[in-house]
Amino acid sequence: MRRSGPLTEFEQMILLAVIRLGDEAYGVSICDEIEGRVDRTISVAAAYTALERMEARGFVRSRIAESTPVRGGRAKKHFALQPDGAAALRESRHSMSRMWEGLEGHSDLTEA
Amino acid sequence: MSRLAPPRLAEWVLRLILRTPDREYILGDLEQQYHERRVAGARARLWYWSQLFRALPTMARRFAAQQPPSGGPKLRHEPVRERAQRSMGWGGMMGNVLQDLRFALRSLWRRPGFAVITVTTLALGIGANTAIFSVVNGVLLSPLPYAQPEAIVTIGAPGAMSYPDIVDLESEVPSLATLVGITTPPRTLTGLGEPEIIGVTQVTKGLMATFLVSPLLGRDIRADEFGPDGPRVIVLGYSFWQTRFGGDPDVLGRSVTLNGIGYEVVGVAPEGFVPTSQLWTPSRLDPETCPRSCHTMPTIGRLAEGATIEGLRNDALTLALNLEVAYPNSNTGKRFVVRSLQDTVVGGVRRGLWLVLGAVGIVLLIACANVANLLLVRASTRTGEVAVRSALGASRRRLVAQVMTESGLIALFGGIGGLALAWFGTILLPRFSAGSIPRIDEIGIDGTVLLFTAGTVLLVTLIFGVAPAAGLTRTPLRSGLGTGSQRSGAGRDSGRSRSLLLGAEVALSAVLLVGAGLLLRSFTQLNAVDLGYETREILRFNLNPQLGDIDEIRIFYRTLEERIRAIPGVEAAGSVFGSPLSGAAFVGPVYIDGRPEPTPSERTMTAIRPVGPQWMETMRIPVLRGRGLTETDDYDAQPPGALVSETFVRENFPNEEPIGQSIRVPWDMGHGASAWRVVGVVRDIRAQAIELESDARIYVPHGQWGPANMTVTVRGVPGAAPLLPAIRQEVRRMNPNLPLSEVGTMEDAVRQQVAPTRFYLVLVGLFAGLAAVLAAIGLYGVITYAVSRRTREIGLRVALGARREGIMRLVVGQGMRPAIVGLGVGLGAAFYGGRVMETLLFGVQPRDPLIFGATGALLVVVALAATTLPAYRASQVDPVRALRAD
């Protein structure tokens, strides 16, 4: 079930959120970050599924932090970007901008 | 505190549905966020519930992907769902089936080794069966491609028929609608492109009515056109009309030249009508010169409306008895043999093909036994799991359904793989059957074959699925709980089933090996037969220079032989009519001067071969007494000399000197007297077929008797370059328009003769080998498994002082006992059932002790080898480790 190929849009958003959050990147904070910026609701379970997948591909690394009473005594899983993940992000952006090249102002794309 | 905690119910459901290793982190995140939102005054409880609903689709997708996060069946949930689904009727049943399928797929996926071995074993078995069935189906079962094919019959006496008998049968037998006499001699076609030797069917009347088709153009041949003075008319086959006349619609009235004589086209047959050849002309047989005793025509006929073959047989017998009274000279003892056309075409291979299907069926049984064994082994490692499932509420019926689903899935995959193999088989089999199986080009995978494969898959599921399922229902389920994997399931019952399966495998392999051995013996015997003539470096071809004058014929052939002998690399060349293993020969009674003419019942048939003076030497057939034929015999000696074979001497001159006797035959070629003086005795040769003892024959000089169409035989120097191009050039020098036909070597002819035996040998040998290997694997697997189950016991024995040799003996004995019993049963079955193979054998008895001994020895060695390795491993068990295990 290990997926290969380019990053999905959802994965890109998660990776970008991980970068933005730095040390504070964990499940719910990642979801909040995305929701706050792009007006989209995201399930924590879906985020974890994607993160699990990307960890398997070496794009992120996880670290288990201390458990706290506010978490019901459960540990916290922090995520950090890995060089492969950064490379994949750059590649995704590069591909998209190549597709966009010269299309700015194209009649089909101008907003009414 | 409780009011401050996240909603309990939502958390509980989340815990249930979050099936990821990250569950605790997620729940922790959610709880932390919940608290932060609560402090911030946001609607924290609503938010928490929304998280539950958002997680549902993700988890559903994850579950549907059928990838359990880590090993181990999900026992916890299934019984709950089962109970719910049981009460849901048809939908629930479908749910169960789907669930079983998914579970089976998963459990196969988890044990790829097991899956690959079982599926491959079955694919081999099912594939071989499907391939052979496609042959049986295409050759034996599917009807001939004609309208109402079951009503088309052939009648013989027992082979060819005489014209007056054909007429009587057609007019006096009410159950026969029509009967046509046919011969298909080769004719030289000229005037329409390249000259070609082509088979032309000469008929007593048109064949199309027999096959219920109408001419595409013009008309068919009429009954009144038969006879020596009939018109020269011809009906064209569709493809001949297309290739030689370009499908010209105005072809009627045009001319086709055969052997230099023009025939007027009067009709064209419809497409696909090709029962004999591509050209039909009225037969010019003269009933005056070829009377009731002259059997030259095979026949094809059609039953009358509503008549049966049985009825026709009775009617034909009645007529034969009447004719016997009316024409005692020609019809004494003559009986008409009525067969369906299908029977005539494929009857010769029927028994062989069914036997091969039986052999391949045995392979499938052995494959099933192996898979059943593996499933039994697997079932016994799963008693714990089964016990848990049962304790959580799974009924026995559900458990059996589960096991059968898994078996069915294995069989289904095996069936799919088998179909792929069979498809290859249908491509390969026609290639290597080497023309020994009629209609082999018609085989393929059609609906019937697919149905057969589907039925096989179902049957196979039942055969190998029942044993583990039955074991399941017998096991007291509670006993499975609380035992580890090491000791459970090695019960006496499953051990006995495995021994039984093993014995059956060895027995079935023994039957197949005996069959293969007998065929191998037949094949070597066939190849070892001394034919009495040279087969190496011999090239032969037929010529028909269409010369009418005997001097022209003689000069043509003797000159051609002379020129061919001058080609570098040629050692000898001669001509014959009726070359060995070619199917052609003159056969008739030979009279001896000074003796009363034998009555019809006393007549013996002798093959008469006109030969050029050098043919005997070319074929290296030695003259035993007297002298060979000379140029003078060939040219003008009166009476010319003739050679007789050893058998002819034995039958006709048991106590007399044959040399000097005068012999004659009651017909001639129109070139001179058919009387000769015996000048020499030659060795017997097997000319009809390798397996047929030589019959009596005489060799007469071609140059004074004819005929014009001969087989030129050339013996080359071993290792000489291909001679055919130079030979063709010499023929062209003699006559540029003369085609060579039936070009081939004697070795080709011999190969063709042994092809059917080779075909059966290769197939049965392949299947027997497969069976033995499968049986050995089964034996090895079962013994290895049994040893692993008894490690503790063996360790204990060693600890208590048992010797290593004793342990080995114990284990080997455990494997050998069922093998020896199975071997005995199998050899016994082969001993009593071997008669069914008799017609396929040559030079070996079905109960040949050598074959039986070799089979027994081979299987004992195989069984020993398969048991010795695990036995050796058992003897090396370290008692300390064995006892500490579990």
Side-chain angles (χ1 to χ4, degrees), chain A residues 32 48 52 71 74 77, chain B residues 22 29 31-33 62:
Chain A
D32 279 352
Y48 267 101
E52 193 189 326
R71 295 175 57 87
R74 300 181 182 97
K77 198 172 191 178
Chain B
D22 289 326
D29 280 3
E31 189 161 341
Q32 185 185 347
Q33 192 71 8
R62 206 170 168 129

Side-chain angles (χ1 to χ4, degrees), chain B residues 166-321:
Chain B
I166 295 175
V167 173
D168 286 347
L169 271 167
E170 194 177 16
S171 60
E172 291 182 28
V173 169
S175 47
L176 198 61
T178 168
L179 187 67
V180 183
I182 52 170
T183 51
T184 307
R187 291 285 178 261
T188 305
L189 172 76
T190 49
L192 291 168
E194 273 291 293
E196 187 190 346
I197 294 199
I198 191 168
V200 178
T201 306
Q202 302 180 335
V203 293
T204 53
K205 62 176 182 173
L207 264 175
M208 288 190 223
T210 306
F211 288 87
L212 301 181
V213 297
S214 322
L216 188 67
L217 292 176
R219 60 170 179 87
D220 202 357
I221 287 157
R222 292 192 307 257
D224 60 19
E225 288 168 325
F226 167 81
D229 304 319
R232 305 273 188 180
V233 293
I234 192 163
V235 171
L236 311 182
Y238 184 86
S239 68
F240 185 92
W241 175 56
Q242 287 293 326
T243 54
R244 298 282 179 162
F245 285 98
D248 179 7
D250 295 325
V251 71
L252 300 184
R254 290 181 63 179
S255 178
V256 172
T257 307
L258 298 171
N259 283 11
I261 298 165
Y263 290 77
E264 182 195 342
V265 177
V266 294
V268 176
E271 193 174 1
F273 178 68
V274 283
T276 51
S277 68
Q278 279 289 303
L279 296 171
W280 296 272
T281 63
S283 168
R284 305 185 70 78
L285 183 93
D286 186 353
E288 295 287 312
T289 60
C290 185
R292 213 172 269 278
S293 60
C294 172
H295 299 111
T296 56
M297 292 180 161
T299 65
I300 297 181
R302 182 168 202 92
L303 289 176
E305 200 68 36
T308 62
I309 285 210
E310 259 330 295
L312 175 56
R313 278 196 186 117
N314 287 333
D315 292 354
L317 179 63
T318 311
L319 179 72
L321 294 173

Side-chain angles (χ1 to χ4, degrees), chain B residues 133-476:
Chain B
F133 179 76
S134 75
V135 176
V136 169
N137 178 51
V139 174
L140 300 183
L141 301 183
S142 63
L144 295 170
Y146 307 119
Q148 300 173 21
E150 66 286 347
I152 305 174
V153 295
T154 64
I155 303 183
M161 300 269 283
S162 70
Y163 179 72
D165 285 341
I166 295 175
V167 173
D168 286 347
L169 271 167
E170 194 177 16
S171 60
E172 291 182 28
V173 169
S175 47
L176 198 61
T178 168
L179 187 67
V180 183
I182 52 170
T183 51
T184 307
R187 291 285 178 261
T188 305
L189 172 76
T190 49
L192 291 168
E194 273 291 293
E196 187 190 346
I197 294 199
I198 191 168
V200 178
T201 306
Q202 302 180 335
V203 293
T204 53
K205 62 176 182 173
L207 264 175
M208 288 190 223
T210 306
F211 288 87
L212 301 181
V213 297
S214 322
L216 188 67
L217 292 176
R219 60 170 179 87
D220 202 357
I221 287 157
R222 292 192 307 257
D224 60 19
E225 288 168 325
F226 167 81
D229 304 319
R232 305 273 188 180
V233 293
I234 192 163
V235 171
L236 311 182
Y238 184 86
S239 68
F240 185 92
W241 175 56
Q242 287 293 326
T243 54
R244 298 282 179 162
F245 285 98
D248 179 7
D250 295 325
V251 71
L252 300 184
R254 290 181 63 179
S255 178
V256 172
T257 307
L258 298 171
N259 283 11
I261 298 165
Y263 290 77
E264 182 195 342
V265 177
V266 294
V268 176
E271 193 174 1
F273 178 68
V274 283
T276 51
S277 68
Q278 279 289 303
L279 296 171
W280 296 272
T281 63
S283 168
R284 305 185 70 78
L285 183 93
D286 186 353
E288 295 287 312
T289 60
C290 185
R292 213 172 269 278
S293 60
C294 172
H295 299 111
T296 56
M297 292 180 161
T299 65
I300 297 181
R302 182 168 202 92
L303 289 176
E305 200 68 36
T308 62
I309 285 210
E310 259 330 295
L312 175 56
R313 278 196 186 117
N314 287 333
D315 292 354
L317 179 63
T318 311
L319 179 72
L321 294 173
N322 290 341
L323 292 176
E324 195 165 12
V325 176
Y327 310 101
N329 253 344
S330 60
N331 283 47
T332 299
K334 193 194 284 184
R335 296 289 178 270
F336 300 120
V337 179
V338 181
R339 301 166 81 187
S340 71
L341 180 60
Q342 173 130 7
D343 207 21
T344 306
V345 172
V346 302
V349 297
R350 178 166 291 135
R351 178 176 288 247
L353 285 186
W354 283 117
L355 274 177
V356 171
L357 190 65
V360 79
I362 289 180
V363 173
L364 186 62
L365 281 180
I366 294 175
C368 283
N370 257 6
V371 173
N373 252 330
L374 286 169
L375 282 173
L376 275 176
V377 167
R378 200 154 113 85
S380 61
T381 65
R382 282 166 68 172
T383 43
E385 171 200 326
V386 168
V388 171
R389 286 162 60 88
S390 164
L392 289 174
S395 66
R396 270 182 208 272
R397 246 175 67 190
R398 285 286 291 116
L399 290 174
V400 169
Q402 171 70 70
V403 171
M404 288 306 279
T405 304
E406 200 171 311
S407 304
L409 210 59
I410 294 172
L412 184 69
F413 287 146
I416 292 169
L419 265 184
L421 284 176
W423 182 75
F424 280 116
T426 56
I427 293 173
L428 291 178
L429 282 171
R431 287 203 191 156
F432 100 106
S433 66
S436 52
I437 308 289
R439 304 184 75 194
I440 191 87
D441 294 328
E442 293 176 40
I443 72 166
I445 303 215
D446 60 7
T448 315
V449 176
L450 284 178
L451 213 63
F452 171 85
T453 310
T456 309
V457 166
L458 211 66
L459 188 74
V460 156
T461 310
L462 287 178
I463 294 175
F464 74 74
V466 156
L472 196 68
T473 57
R474 269 203 312 270
T475 321

Side-chain angles (χ1 to χ4, degrees), chain A residues 4-24:
Chain A
S4 55
L7 293 169
T8 64
E9 189 196 12
F10 185 53
E11 288 168 336
Q12 292 179 42
M13 289 198 285
I14 287 180
L15 288 183
L16 292 168
V18 167
I19 299 171
R20 283 180 186 280
L21 291 166
D23 283 345
E24 273 310 297

Side-chain angles (χ1 to χ4, degrees), chain A residues 15 18 51-52 54-62 79-82 85:
Chain A
L15 288 183
V18 167
L51 283 162
E52 193 189 326
M54 289 194 287
E55 186 168 20
R57 293 171 72 183
F59 292 171
V60 294
R61 191 189 51 192
S62 66
F79 291 93
L81 190 73
Q82 289 297 101

Side-chain angles (χ1 to χ4, degrees), chain B residues 759-837:
Chain B
F759 180 77
Y760 296 125
L761 169 67
V762 170
L763 285 184
V764 176
L766 193 73
F767 298 148
L770 199 59
V773 169
L774 284 176
I777 292 175
L779 196 58
Y780 172 81
V782 166
I783 300 304
T784 305
Y785 173 74
V787 165
S788 76
R789 287 282 134 149
R790 293 173 70 186
T791 309
R792 252 172 92 92
E793 177 207 321
I794 292 169
L796 198 62
R797 282 170 188 264
V798 174
L800 291 176
R803 297 165 59 92
R804 304 273 183 203
E805 302 84 53
I807 301 289
M808 274 193 78
R809 257 202 302 282
L810 180 81
V811 176
V812 169
Q814 192 191 11
M816 288 307 280
R817 230 166 289 130
I820 296 290
V821 172
L823 180 61
V825 172
L827 290 182
F831 188 80
Y832 286 103
R835 298 291 291 275
V836 296
M837 283 192 67

